Amino acid sequence: MVASWQAPDDRATGIGAGLVKKKEEEALITVMKERALLQCKEMQKEYYECVKGRMVSVAWACRGQATAMSKCLGEHTSDAALADLKSRWVKAGRP
């Protein structure tokens, strides 16, 4: 029997997310990042439109768009988002 990997922060949450193996966690992180990119697509588009045709001025001209995109991606790829995804995955019976 293969022992399941358990991150220290998972044990503290008590939600059963510690039952996820390392390889499974890596796959869930990939899924989480893909979902974050889809959910932040509009922010990415706005940033891309701002940086298009710029060189040095990107640093100050597109700061707002970059910050908004970074904040959006950060919200959807946080430790809490990963813990939630792990918990839902375990509850679903590890499909």
Side-chain angles (χ1 to χ4, degrees):
M1 182 172 160
V2 178
S4 63
W5 181 83
Q6 190 172 24
D9 59 339
D10 290 342
R11 281 184 242 132
T13 60
I15 57 174
L19 302 173
V20 177
K21 296 177 185 174
K22 183 67 174 172
K23 205 165 227 176
E24 296 167 338
E25 180 183 31
E26 289 171 1
L28 289 173
I29 289 171
T30 300
V31 169
M32 178 181 65
K33 288 179 180 180
E34 289 171 357
R35 288 181 182 176
L37 289 173
L38 288 173
Q39 292 178 349
C40 300
K41 194 172 189 169
E42 188 61 36
M43 307 284 182
Q44 292 173 339
K45 184 178 178 183
E46 290 174 11
Y47 179 71
Y48 172 73
E49 291 299 323
C50 181
V51 301
K52 193 167 36 172
R54 296 182 190 264
M55 296 286 268
V56 178
S57 65
V58 169
W60 60 84
C62 303
R63 185 174 295 158
Q65 291 88 341
T67 302
M69 182 179 69
S70 180
K71 183 178 178 183
C72 181
L73 290 170
E75 288 173 2
H76 295 290
T77 58
S78 66
D79 290 339
L82 179 59
D84 180 54
L85 186 59
K86 286 181 188 179
S87 176
R88 288 187 287 138
W89 190 74
V90 169
K91 287 178 186 175
R94 298 176 159 191

